[in-house]
Amino acid sequence: MADLVSAFRKGMWPRRERVIPILGFTAMIWLLETLWIFLLVHGFGKALTPSEAVFMTMVPLLATAFPLTPSGAGVVELTLFSCLRVAGLDASLAASITLLNRFIDYWFHIGA
């Protein structure tokens, strides 16, 4: 059993030469996710500050980390909608952005 645990731990860590590319790709993914939310809201004629865009990116992703429903269905939408409302968007605009975001970000992946 100890050999299995040791092999698992050893396999969890990437080789040293792969750490920098992994960190670079991770940063690029977060940047693109944040840019996606920023541009989506901008497409509706509203502007978010960079910190608001990061917040709008992080909170729905954190909501999916706690599996209250399958793939965060309903929870992510409610969370993003609430965050948009806190950022000062009116309810109809926040609902439109939330539904379009979830449709493109979730349902297009399932269709593909």
Side-chain angles (χ1 to χ4, degrees), residues 88-100:
L89 278 67
D90 63 85
S92 62
L93 185 59
S96 298
I97 292 170
T98 299
L99 291 175
L100 184 60

Side-chain angles (χ1 to χ4, degrees), residues 25-67:
F25 286 130
T26 301
M28 186 173 59
I29 288 168
W30 279 104
L31 177 68
L32 290 173
E33 285 281 343
T34 304
L35 189 61
W36 156 244
I37 292 292
F38 180 83
L39 292 175
L40 178 66
V41 173
H42 185 70
F44 279 88
K46 297 292 180 181
L48 293 176
T49 65
S51 61
E52 288 173 333
V54 170
F55 183 73
M56 300 296 168
T57 301
M58 297 286 284
V59 172
L61 291 174
L62 290 174
T64 60
F66 301 103

